[in-house]
């Protein structure tokens, strides 16, 4: 422990768990399917001034173009090569985005699709985003190059070659995930090609990687790839800084593959978080917010410093992946804001905010038949740009949850409360709860069906605070509710169950 502790101080021991965000920036946002040119602008005009630490981007490498259904979002999870051209932009635009975002202190996290290439039925030709030739049937990807020798077909023991049984860990790792051609990551050649791709991105200046489908790779294969990675580019990061690693492992319990197998490599996406928080805020299954008192490890989640947390992601917001109906999304805006507010106020985990696009849902027998629809696009299939309305919201069907006042202000709350302990918990045994973050911030929820009028200990210095949910501090004025904390730290909170947002948050950065 001693040596690790010493190394920790100089920042080399647990490096891959460190998000590499700038000091005082404690969240990232997933700008799902955004174009690089729009992300560069968003870093400069919005994310940097509002304290966001970074952006998770959609996969930047060449992928299959799927015509049926038409340009689905999931075509970007079907690689053809590691060339940096997609519908989000080309390599020049990618480099420009990374440079401009880094220059304003907002870092880029790449969604790295390295478990597989395209689907086995993707055909042969150059219907790919850079026009590279490939043949899915013969497993030929000359633009990497990979050939049939570089895939797992010989190792997979299922009848169809696909993962058929999630209770068989070797099928989960050696067979094809929904028919996607499964790379033989035990081969040093394959590991080296993947590492070459990731190192190329590191040289450009990215800060880390979401490892897609990590559950479908052996943890030691992931480790062997990570061991080949360079330190981050010293133009923007301190010498010896390692890429931040968070691995997509869907572990809701009950399966042999667990998130904890991957802790040695980096953080893990904690899918139980959004599933449980959604259940609680919905008040389903007899859950109450009062039970959130021991939120975090107390709920069987990964250790806080191994967890990447989120209310919803690009998969489960449309019924894919994990979590089912309890997942809250922008479609349930009122409950969603409460859930994101709770997440950003609570010290557990490293937080990722979702930013989505709108699509027309079509529920057939409880399932959205339009769950495949890709980003807002022009008739030629190119992605529409993110336009900004006069009221700072987004146009062209980009939802921009990260620009919603309540969510953006809670990103700032989390920065202000960084390093402060969870404190002054209160609940009414039902769905009225409150907690603080040391002497920096305090949040109160009324998710009951009746009025709330309570005096609570906030832990905050005396003064008048501006509620950053109903409004915010502008100049010396508050556009929302005001809260008066008296000399002993207590304050009166009144929240109607019919308020637009039945929660209140105050912090020392928004004192009047
Ligand atoms: C990249 O895209 C931009 C914008 O469409 C274009 O102007 C530029 O020529 C492209 N660069 C390359 C190398 O294709
Ligand atoms: C793709 O293949 C078609 C037919 O073989 C050819 O006409 C076209 O020029 C190719 N496109 C690219 C970008 O290589
Ligand atoms: C909290 O809920 C309980 C029911 O569990 C209710 O009796 C009580 O009045 C509520 N407290 C407040 C402060 O509204």
């Amino acid at each position: 422990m001693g040596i690790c502790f010493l190394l920790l101080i100089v920042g080399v021991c647990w490096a891959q768990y460190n998000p590499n965000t700038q000091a005082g920036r404690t969240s990232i946002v997933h700008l799902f399917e955004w174009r690089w040119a729009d992300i560069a602008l968003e870093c400069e005009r919005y994310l940097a001034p509002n304290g966001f630490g970074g952006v998770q981007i959609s996969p930047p490498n060449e992928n299959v173009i799927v015509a049926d259904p038409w340009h689905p979002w999931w075509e970007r999870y079907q690689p053809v090569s590691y060339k940096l051209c997609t519908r989000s932009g080309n390599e020049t635009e990618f480099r420009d985005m990374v440079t401009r975002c880094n220059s304003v202190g907002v870092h880029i996290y790449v969604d790295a699709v390295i478990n597989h290439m395209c689907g086995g039925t993707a055909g042969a030709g150059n219907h790919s985003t850079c026009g590279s030739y490939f043949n899915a049937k013969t497993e030929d990807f000359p633009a990497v190059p990979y050939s049939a020798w570089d895939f797992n077909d010989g190792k997979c023991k299922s009848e169809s070659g696909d993962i058929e049984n999630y209770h068989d860990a070797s099928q989960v790792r050696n067979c094809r995930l929904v028919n996607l051609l499964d790379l033989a990551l035990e081969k040093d050649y394959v590991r080296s090609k993947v590492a070459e791709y990731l190192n190329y991105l590191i040289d450009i200046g990215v800060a880390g990687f979401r490892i897609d489908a990590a559950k479908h790779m052996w943890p030691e294969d992931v480790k062997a790839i990570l061991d080949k990675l360079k330190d981050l580019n010293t133009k923007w990061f301190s010498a010896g800084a390692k890429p931040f690693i968070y691995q997509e492992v869907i572990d809701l319990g009950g399966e042999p593959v667990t998130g904890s197998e991957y802790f040695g490599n980096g953080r893990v996406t904690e899918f139980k978080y959004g599933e449980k928080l959604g259940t609680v805020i919905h008040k389903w299954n007899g859950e109450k917010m009062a039970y959130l008192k021991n939120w975090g490890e107390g709920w069987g989640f990964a250790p806080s410093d191994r967890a990447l947390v989120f209310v919803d992601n690009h998969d489960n917001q449309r019924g894919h992946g994990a979590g089912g109906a309890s997942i809250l999304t922008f479609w349930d805006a009122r409950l969603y804001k409460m859930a994101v507010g709770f997440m950003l106020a609570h010290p557990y985990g490293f937080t990722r905010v979702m930013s989505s696009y709108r699509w027309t849902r079509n529920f057939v027998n409880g399932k959205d038949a339009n769950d495949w629809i890709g980003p807002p696009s022009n008739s030629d299939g190119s992605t529409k740009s993110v336009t900004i309305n006069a009221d700072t919201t987004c146009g062209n069907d980009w939802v921009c949850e990260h620009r919603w006042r309540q969510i953006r202000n809670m990103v700032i709350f989390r920065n202000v409360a960084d390093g402060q302990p969870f404190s002054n918990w209160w609940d009414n045994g039902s769905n009225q709860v409150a907690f603080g973050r040391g002497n920096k911030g305090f949040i109160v929820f009324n998710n009951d069906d009746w009025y709330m009028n309570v005096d609570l200990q906030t832990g905050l210095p005396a003064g008048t605070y501006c509620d950053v949910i109903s409004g915010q501090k502008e100049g010396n004025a508050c556009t929302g509710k005001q809260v008066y904390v008296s000399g002993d730290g207590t304050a009166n909170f009144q929240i109607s169950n019919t308020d637009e947002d039945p929660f209140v948050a105050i912090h020392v950065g928004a004192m009047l």
Side-chain angles (χ1 to χ4, degrees):
M1 193 263 164
I3 285 183
C4 246
F5 184 70
L6 281 175
L7 291 173
L8 182 60
I9 290 175
V10 297
V12 300
C13 194
W14 303 117
Q16 72 274 33
Y17 310 106
N18 179 346
N20 298 315
T21 47
Q22 281 200 338
R25 295 181 184 264
T26 59
S27 298
I28 61 173
V29 56
H30 182 193
L31 297 180
F32 179 46
E33 284 279 10
W34 281 42
R35 295 160 65 250
W36 310 149
D38 289 326
I39 294 177
L41 288 168
E42 191 71 351
C43 286
E44 295 167 344
R45 71 190 165 198
Y46 199 87
L47 301 177
N50 287 296
F52 286 80
V55 181
Q56 178 184 313
I57 60 165
S58 283
N61 63 302
E62 182 175 27
N63 58 266
V64 161
I65 295 173
V66 175
D68 182 20
W70 194 71
H71 293 289
W73 62 267
W74 44 256
E75 72 177 29
R76 296 187 70 170
Y77 291 87
Q78 299 205 21
V80 163
S81 81
Y82 300 128
K83 292 181 187 169
L84 301 182
C85 63
T86 60
R87 62 183 169 209
S88 285
N90 60 32
E91 179 167 339
T92 311
E93 294 167 297
F94 182 85
R95 288 178 177 274
D96 181 58
M97 165 186 72
V98 173
T99 300
R100 286 165 61 190
C101 290
N102 278 338
S103 299
V104 293
V106 180
H107 298 318
I108 298 295
Y109 300 84
V110 168
D111 193 347
V113 185
I114 60 175
N115 169 64
H116 54 260
M117 299 300 279
C118 65
T121 58
N126 56 14
H127 48 292
S128 51
T129 51
C130 296
S132 296
Y133 175 83
F134 68 98
N135 186 335
K137 194 158 187 194
T138 59
E139 301 181 321
D140 194 21
F141 296 89
V144 178
Y146 287 138
S147 67
W149 300 106
D150 300 318
F151 293 85
N152 266 336
D153 306 278
K155 278 169 76 185
C156 169
K157 299 287 181 260
S158 79
E159 200 155 315
S160 62
D162 292 351
I163 301 167
E164 294 169 0
N165 177 8
Y166 272 78
H167 293 279
D168 177 344
S170 65
Q171 271 196 26
V172 174
R173 270 72 171 257
N174 293 341
C175 297
R176 294 179 183 180
L177 166 65
V178 294
N179 199 238
L180 297 161
L181 302 177
D182 204 55
L183 285 165
L185 292 166
E186 85 279 10
K187 287 187 65 177
D188 190 59
Y189 174 75
V190 177
R191 292 172 175 176
S192 297
K193 294 314 282 187
V194 170
E196 197 180 289
Y197 164 50
L198 302 184
N199 279 328
Y200 195 75
L201 296 167
I202 287 172
D203 284 342
I204 291 174
V206 309
F209 303 100
R210 167 191 185 264
I211 308 292
D212 179 66
K215 177 181 185 174
H216 302 284
M217 299 184 267
W218 296 98
E220 46 284 15
D221 288 345
V222 176
K223 179 175 190 306
I225 292 165
L226 299 180
D227 285 346
K228 292 178 187 284
L229 298 189
K230 300 181 174 182
D231 294 344
L232 297 182
N233 188 326
T234 52
K235 179 156 183 214
W236 293 293
F237 302 94
S238 48
K242 305 270 184 231
F244 177 44
I245 300 298
Y246 54 108
Q247 302 158 96
E248 186 211 10
V249 181
I250 300 178
D251 171 11
L252 295 177
E255 286 177 22
V257 176
T258 63
S260 59
E261 291 174 63
Y262 294 82
F263 292 166
N265 295 334
R267 293 195 187 227
V268 167
T269 52
E270 180 50 275
F271 278 86
K272 297 184 197 94
Y273 192 102
E275 187 207 28
K276 296 292 183 199
L277 190 55
T279 306
V280 172
I281 305 267
H282 274 300
K283 300 188 272 190
W284 288 353
N285 301 350
E287 294 286 6
K288 306 170 177 180
M289 287 191 82
Y291 298 156
L292 297 173
K293 183 174 185 175
N294 65 341
W295 185 244
E297 290 94 340
W299 280 62
F301 300 165
S304 180
D305 59 2
R306 294 294 178 270
L308 184 292
V309 300
F310 46 97
V311 172
D312 62 327
N313 80 347
H314 69 282
D315 275 317
N316 63 19
Q317 70 171 201
R318 46 181 47 69
H320 281 242
S326 73
I327 299 298
L328 286 167
T329 71
F330 68 88
W331 298 106
D332 308 291
R334 190 166 184 265
L335 298 183
Y336 186 66
K337 285 178 279 182
M338 268 197 277
V340 177
F342 186 90
M343 172 181 83
L344 291 169
H346 197 284
Y348 176 82
F350 183 71
T351 46
R352 179 181 65 197
V353 171
M354 181 66 200
S355 190
S356 318
Y357 57 80
R358 217 170 275 106
W359 73 99
T360 306
R361 295 193 294 182
N362 176 20
F363 285 103
V364 181
N365 299 326
K367 184 186 179 295
D368 179 9
N370 285 345
D371 63 354
W372 58 270
I373 290 182
S377 44
N378 304 300
S379 53
D380 64 356
S382 60
T383 300
K384 281 190 183 169
S385 63
V386 178
T387 52
I388 307 298
N389 302 320
D391 65 357
T392 79
T393 60
C394 298
N396 274 346
D397 277 331
W398 298 97
V399 182
C400 291
E401 296 93 314
H402 69 285
R403 281 176 170 254
W404 293 4
R405 179 189 67 238
Q406 301 84 344
I407 292 178
R408 177 242 299 140
N409 285 348
M410 287 307 298
V411 167
I412 295 169
F413 178 111
R414 189 175 193 78
N415 292 342
V416 171
D418 188 25
Q420 295 290 313
F422 178 75
S423 54
N424 291 306
W425 173 268
W426 171 86
D427 67 72
N428 72 337
S430 183
N431 291 290
Q432 298 179 354
V433 304
F435 64 93
R437 296 291 304 279
N439 58 4
K440 300 289 191 196
F442 195 73
I443 191 164
V444 187
F445 295 86
N446 177 12
N447 198 27
D448 271 330
D449 299 325
W450 51 86
Y451 196 80
M452 170 178 179
N453 181 356
V454 284
D455 294 319
L456 298 174
Q457 175 55 247
T458 65
L460 299 186
T464 303
Y465 292 79
C466 183
D467 168 32
V468 298
I469 303 303
S470 56
Q472 61 201 345
K473 187 180 169 199
E474 281 174 16
N476 290 321
C478 175
T479 61
K481 298 178 187 170
Q482 296 188 16
V483 175
Y484 307 95
V485 174
S486 55
D488 65 358
T490 61
N492 178 255
F493 292 91
Q494 298 194 29
I495 304 176
S496 167
N497 54 305
T498 61
D499 281 352
E500 180 193 348
D501 295 306
F503 65 116
V504 165
I506 56 176
H507 62 75
V508 295
M511 234 173 141
L512 295 172

